[in-house]
């Protein structure tokens, strides 16, 4: 029994010495290729490397000099990374970490460059000042001419997008005297409203001149058969009125076509009034509006807003392949985009948003005192009757063409919370009835 115990102790001691020798020999073989002073001898791989599967080798060009282990020269580092030598583990780990960081950087969005805030005096809007410098359009505008007055004020948007146009006391061939007034409300920039304000009135005059020349040629051809009558019959007057309405429609469509040919974005709404031979012709596209003020103080709307919420406009749009939807704010829009269903421009919304105007004709009488033509910045906050009442009250002690009545309406809409551009024009109709 005693001999058995001694035998087991001596066997355990022998195994311990053998394990110590194997462990010491393995570490020596591992460090020998790295730190051996001779580079001609072939390095011996460590036992643990012989048992592991082959790993991806790192090209020597990818190893930086500062990544080599301490005590190893550059030549030894290249020798370690040769195909016959063991792979250096530390640079591979660093390279994997660098690749991981690069992948994370590629997935990260670029850092935003936020400019410093604009230094300005208290109470000054830096965005409004920049918009005025960019567009050269005044924040407030007053105008007064023969038979009309106007006041305009920019809203909180980045640029003023309202405009107007006036042609007074123009004689066309044949002896007809006419006057043209228009208020325009642009959207998507000033390109459309500037173009329409410059071209529409001229196109209306040109279309009327062409229609007048054609009518005169027809009358001359009738002279050969019978002498002309002293006065126009009701039928001839009606025919002449229809000719003027057709000329106005043609002028609207021509202006729209000319603007679209330029390939410029944006659009514009309009409300215009033409006075010719004692007749008042009012046309509109969009939500600009014209309201007649009578001697009794009664307001008579002469236009109907072209909005996507109108039942007849919805049917027209759907019949042409478009659609109308109502958003969460309760505003109806064409193709989920535009709130008006008729306007100049808006090339991407054709043919659903057309420029075909609605035109009405009215014979002027002494009861017709003035006409209020304004953009939707006024009508969204002020009713038609309130507008007529304000102009009538302002005209009690002065002429109805006084610019004070327009400024009062602009201030009224702004005080009620209108944030849109506001343009108000008042036309004196008494000068055409006297």
């Amino acid at each position: 029994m005693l001999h058995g115990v001694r035998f087991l102790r001596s066997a355990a001691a022998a195994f311990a010495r053998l394990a110590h020798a194997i462990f010491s020999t393995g570490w020596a073989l591992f460090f020998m290729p790295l730190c051996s002073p001779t580079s001609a001898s072939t390095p011996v791989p460590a036992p643990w490397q012989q048992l592991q599967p082959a790993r991806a080798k790192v090209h020597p060009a990818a190893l930086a000099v500062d990544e080599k282990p301490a005590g190893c020269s550059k030549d030894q580092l290249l020798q370690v990374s040769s195909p016959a030598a063991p792979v250096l583990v530390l640079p591979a780990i660093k390279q994997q970490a660098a690749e991981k960081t690069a992948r994370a950087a590629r997935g990260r969005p670029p850092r935003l460059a936020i400019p410093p805030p604009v230094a300005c005096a208290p109470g000054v809007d830096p965005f409004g000042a920049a918009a005025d410098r960019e567009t050269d359009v005044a924040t407030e505008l007053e105008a007064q001419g023969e038979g009309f007055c106007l006041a305009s004020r920019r809203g909180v948007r980045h640029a003023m997008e309202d405009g107007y146009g006036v042609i007074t006391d123009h004689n066309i061939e044949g002896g007809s005297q006419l006057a043209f007034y228009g208020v325009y409300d642009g959207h998507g920039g000033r390109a459309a409203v500037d173009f329409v304000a410059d071209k529409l009135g001229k196109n209306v005059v040109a279309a009327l001149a062409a229609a007048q020349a054609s009518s005169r040629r027809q009358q001359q051809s009738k002279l050969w058969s019978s002498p002309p009558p002293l006065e126009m019959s009701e039928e001839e007057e009606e025919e002449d009125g229809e000719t003027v309405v057709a000329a106005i429609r043609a002028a609207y469509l021509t202006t729209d076509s000319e603007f679209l040919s330029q390939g410029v974005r944006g659009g514009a709404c309009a409300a215009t009034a033409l006075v010719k031979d004692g007749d008042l012709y009012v046309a509109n596209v969009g939500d600009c509006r014209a309201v007649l003020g009578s001697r009794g103080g009664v307001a008579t709307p002469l236009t109907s807003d072209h909005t996507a919420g109108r039942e007849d406009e919805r049917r027209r749009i759907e019949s042409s392949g478009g659609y109308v939807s109502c958003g969460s704010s309760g505003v109806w829009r064409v193709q989920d985009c535009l709130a008006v269903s008729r306007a100049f421009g808006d090339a991407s919304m054709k043919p659903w948003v057309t420029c075909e105007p609605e035109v009405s004709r009215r014979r002027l009488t002494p009861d017709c005192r003035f006409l209020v033509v304004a953009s939707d910045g006024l009508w969204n906050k002020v009713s038609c009757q309130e507008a007529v009442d304000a102009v009538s009250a302002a005209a009690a002690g002065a002429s109805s063409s006084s610019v004070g009545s327009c400024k009062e309406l602009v201030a009224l809409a702004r005080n009620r919370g209108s944030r849109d551009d506001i343009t108000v024009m008042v036309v004196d109709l008494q000068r055409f009835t006297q």
Side-chain angles (χ1 to χ4, degrees):
M1 183 66 180
L2 182 60
H3 291 288
V5 172
R6 290 177 178 177
F7 174 76
L8 292 176
R9 287 181 177 178
S10 51
F15 276 114
R17 287 193 296 272
L18 179 60
H20 179 72
I22 293 174
F23 181 80
S24 300
T25 304
W27 282 108
L29 293 175
F30 176 77
F31 287 105
M32 185 181 300
L34 299 177
C35 303
S36 176
T38 61
S39 59
S41 59
T42 303
V44 180
W48 63 274
Q49 289 179 329
Q50 297 177 359
L51 299 177
Q52 294 291 336
R55 297 185 181 180
K57 295 179 173 56
V58 181
H59 195 274
L63 301 178
V65 176
D66 57 347
E67 293 177 342
K68 62 186 177 65
C72 297
S73 64
K74 184 176 180 180
D75 296 336
Q76 293 171 343
L77 183 61
L78 295 177
Q79 179 184 3
V80 171
S81 59
S82 61
V87 179
L88 187 62
V89 180
L90 184 59
I93 295 177
K94 289 186 176 182
Q95 184 181 7
Q96 292 177 0
E99 292 178 354
K100 183 177 180 181
T101 304
R103 288 195 299 268
R106 286 194 298 268
R108 186 183 300 117
R111 180 174 295 180
L112 296 177
I114 302 177
V118 180
C120 59
V124 177
D125 182 10
F127 300 98
D132 291 341
R133 291 193 301 268
E134 180 182 357
T135 60
D136 293 332
V137 177
T139 302
E140 296 186 14
L141 175 66
E142 299 177 12
Q144 188 166 1
E146 187 174 354
F148 81 97
C149 61
L150 176 137
S152 181
R153 183 173 180 179
R154 181 175 65 86
V156 298
R157 298 180 178 178
H158 66 281
M160 176 65 168
E161 294 179 341
D162 279 6
Y164 76 99
V166 174
I167 300 177
T168 59
D169 293 336
H170 184 86
N171 294 319
I172 61 177
E173 187 177 358
S176 296
Q177 185 178 6
L178 58 87
F180 177 85
Y181 309 91
V183 171
Y184 314 108
D185 183 4
H187 48 266
R190 285 200 59 90
V193 71
D194 288 339
F195 186 89
V196 174
D198 179 59
K199 293 289 186 179
L200 182 58
K202 299 175 182 178
N203 288 338
V204 168
V205 172
L208 286 174
Q212 194 88 359
S214 176
S215 176
R216 188 171 59 256
R217 287 193 299 267
Q218 293 179 1
Q219 291 178 0
Q220 290 177 353
S221 64
K222 295 179 181 179
L223 291 177
W224 298 97
S225 58
S226 60
L230 298 178
E231 294 182 359
M232 294 180 60
S233 62
E234 294 183 1
E235 183 179 354
E236 291 176 338
E237 290 182 356
E238 185 67 24
E239 182 178 354
D240 182 69
E242 293 178 356
T243 301
V244 176
V245 170
I248 294 175
R249 287 199 176 100
Y252 267 70
L253 296 176
T254 299
T255 305
D256 184 50
S257 178
E258 292 175 348
F259 176 73
L260 292 175
S261 64
Q262 296 186 347
V264 183
R265 65 182 296 269
C269 303
T272 62
L274 174 70
V275 181
K276 178 181 177 296
D277 298 332
D279 288 334
L280 174 64
Y281 300 86
V282 176
N284 76 302
V285 289
D287 50 9
C288 292
R289 191 181 305 173
V291 178
L292 175 65
S294 302
R295 187 176 298 275
V298 179
T300 306
L302 301 182
T303 60
S304 180
D305 297 348
H306 296 129
T307 62
R310 275 179 51 172
E311 184 66 23
D312 55 343
E313 290 294 283
R314 182 183 64 82
R315 289 195 301 266
R316 179 185 62 80
I317 293 170
E318 292 177 349
S319 63
S320 61
Y323 67 91
V324 174
S325 61
C326 183
S328 57
S329 60
V331 179
W332 290 85
R333 298 184 182 275
V334 182
Q335 306 293 112
D336 296 328
C337 180
L338 199 60
V340 294
S341 56
R342 301 193 188 191
F344 291 95
D346 296 315
S348 61
M349 304 296 293
K350 302 295 184 186
W352 312 297
V353 178
T354 180
C355 193
E356 178 77 24
E358 286 186 319
V359 186
S360 63
R361 177 191 178 192
R362 175 182 291 266
R363 187 68 180 177
L364 291 178
T365 63
D367 290 335
C368 300
R369 298 186 59 190
F370 56 85
L371 189 69
V372 181
V373 187
S375 60
D376 67 324
L378 173 74
W379 304 120
N380 288 338
K381 298 297 180 180
V382 179
S383 67
C384 298
Q385 187 61 54
E386 287 175 329
V388 170
D389 292 342
V391 176
S392 300
S399 174
S400 59
S401 61
S402 173
V403 72
S405 58
C406 299
K407 295 175 63 176
E408 182 178 348
L409 285 174
V410 171
L412 178 61
R414 180 55 59 89
N415 292 336
R416 292 183 177 181
S418 177
R419 299 170 60 85
D420 199 358
D421 304 327
I422 307 172
T423 299
V424 180
M425 178 187 291
V426 176
V427 180
D428 181 18
L429 299 178
Q430 294 290 299
R431 60 192 298 266
F432 300 106
T433 59
Q434 295 175 356

